[in-house]
């Protein structure tokens, strides 16, 4: 480790390339036509680079980061800001979709509260990492101070450290925050040079006029911050959010710890893009979980697939957030690895294989 560098620029864990090569050979020897399990084969091979020759998902974990956005003052959401704090309370009570999904797949769940205007106070199962009630309105100035950005990144890192200490072998990451599709749209446009009209979508349920107004807000913000969008950390500070920065920190810290992560939908993908811009090798430890119905997500996913080498596993028309799509992918990953480990080879089963040159 180079101690002169900030933690988020430190080296990530190296992928086990030798294990990948052995996995590719094993896949050729299993009792099936080559390639017949499609993406499950590619996923298993990737997982061997993360986990070694006998990959398995025994201790999955789910992290949900929650925070409010000052940009909500521009009317970019169909729901009031109070919903974020109310949903934090719902997570704690076990009534949210991610609460049910985490329980169903046997995952450890941690909700990290970074700051909401409707503060629910201390709650069971919620880690309080309070920074401020909300970010600043990034149409008028930077969303975060430098210190706030560092606090949010560190909250993500500490979440990973806690899960690693509890033996997690895969981490699904998601978020909650009214206004965060606007922030994610701005991040995607800044990092990828896209037009806000091509990326902005309905979020929590905006109509066509609302989507157009959101695109105009993002366009105005990008013009306002134009001189500060060359550096990836500056982009995140100027138009990001506390929970998005925490996700970014979690993705980088997971790669440094050798913990593979399942990236959720549009907002999590924007954070993943920030992570690979800040620490490019972190993409090697990411698996895109699903394609969101949010229109801009396809553009983000295409860019991330190039960065990570991992197209999304599922397409179920979802756009909930909370880490729900990432949690749904956990059983799929588990099954892919079970198949890789437990299927017999042609030699073990006494089955004739295809002739090979």
């Amino acid at each position: 480790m180079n101690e002169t560098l900030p933690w988020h620029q430190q080296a990530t864990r190296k992928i086990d390339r030798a294990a990948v090569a052995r996995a590719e050979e094993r896949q050729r020897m299993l009792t099936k036509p080559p390639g017949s399990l499609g993406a499950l084969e590619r996923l298993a091979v990737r997982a061997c680079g993360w986990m070694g020759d006998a990959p398995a998902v025994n201790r999955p974990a789910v992290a949900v980061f929650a925070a409010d956005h000052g940009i909500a003052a521009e009317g970019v959401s169909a729901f009031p800001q109070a919903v974020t704090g109310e949903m934090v309370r719902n997570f704690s009570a076990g009534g949210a979709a991610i609460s049910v999904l985490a329980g169903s797949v046997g995952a450890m769940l941690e909700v990290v509260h970074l700051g909401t205007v409707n503060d629910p106070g201390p709650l069971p199962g919620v880690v309080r990492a309070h920074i401020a009630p909300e970010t600043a309105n990034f149409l008028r100035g930077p969303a975060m101070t430098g210190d706030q950005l560092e606090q949010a990144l560190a909250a993500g890192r500490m979440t990973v450290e806690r899960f690693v200490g509890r033996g997690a072998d895969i981490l699904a990451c998601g978020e909650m925050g009214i206004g965060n599709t606007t922030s994610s749209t701005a991040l995607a446009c800044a990092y990828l040079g896209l037009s806000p009209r091509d990326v902005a979508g309905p979020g929590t349920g905006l109509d066509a006029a609302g989507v157009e107004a959101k695109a105009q807000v993002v366009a105005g913000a990008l013009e306002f911050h134009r001189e500060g969008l060359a550096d990836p950390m500056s982009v995140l500070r100027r138009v990001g959010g506390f929970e998005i920065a925490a996700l970014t920190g979690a993705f980088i810290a997971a790669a440094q710890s050798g913990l593979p992560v399942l990236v959720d939908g549009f907002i999590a993908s924007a954070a993943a893009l920030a992570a690979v811009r800040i620490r490019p090798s972190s993409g090697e430890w990411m698996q895109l979980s699903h394609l969101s119905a949010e229109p801009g997500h396809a553009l983000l996913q295409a860019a991330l697939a190039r960065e990570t080498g991992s197209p999304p596993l599922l397409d179920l028309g979802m756009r909930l957030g909370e880490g729900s799509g990432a949690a749904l992918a956990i059983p799929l990953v588990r099954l892919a690895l079970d198949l890789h480990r437990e299927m017999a080879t042609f030699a073990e089963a006494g089955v004739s294989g295809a002739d090979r040159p």
Side-chain angles (χ1 to χ4, degrees), residues 23-65:
E24 291 171 337
E25 177 60 23
R26 176 170 174 79
Q27 283 290 328
R28 286 191 287 270
M29 302 306 295
L30 295 178
T31 47
K32 59 179 176 57
S36 59
L37 286 175
L40 295 179
E41 295 184 17
R42 296 188 292 275
L43 178 57
V45 169
R46 271 199 104 209
C48 287
W50 302 326
M51 302 174 178
D53 291 318
V57 172
N58 297 314
R59 292 278 289 166
V62 176
V64 181
F65 299 95

Side-chain angles (χ1 to χ4, degrees), residues 2 89 106 119 138 175 185 197 277 300:
N2 185 345
R89 190 178 297 111
D119 189 345
F138 64 75
E175 44 55 50
T185 298
R197 283 190 173 86
R277 289 290 192 265
L300 261 179

Side-chain angles (χ1 to χ4, degrees), residues 44-124:
V45 169
R46 271 199 104 209
C48 287
W50 302 326
M51 302 174 178
D53 291 318
V57 172
N58 297 314
R59 292 278 289 166
V62 176
V64 181
F65 299 95
D68 268 323
H69 291 249
I71 197 67
E74 302 300 325
V76 292
S77 176
F79 280 74
Q81 275 187 298
V83 168
T84 307
E86 290 165 356
M87 283 301 299
V88 171
R89 190 178 297 111
N90 194 27
F91 295 145
S92 174
I98 192 58
S99 310
V100 175
L101 289 169
S104 293
V105 302
M108 300 176 280
L109 173 63
E110 185 171 287
V111 177
V112 181
H113 178 211
L114 296 134
T116 56
V117 296
N118 181 24
D119 189 345
L123 292 167

Side-chain angles (χ1 to χ4, degrees), residues 183-185 187-188 191 244 248 265-275 300 304:
S183 186
S184 298
T185 298
L187 288 169
Y191 286 133
I244 296 173
T248 301
F266 182 54
I267 294 92
S269 294
L273 186 60
L300 261 179
L304 278 172

Side-chain angles (χ1 to χ4, degrees), residues 213-235:
K214 179 194 286 190
Q216 290 178 6
V217 167
V218 172
L222 293 174
E223 177 60 26
F224 180 89
H225 294 285
R226 180 162 46 93
E227 300 301 322
L229 300 181
D231 175 72
M233 284 283 282
S234 178
V235 171

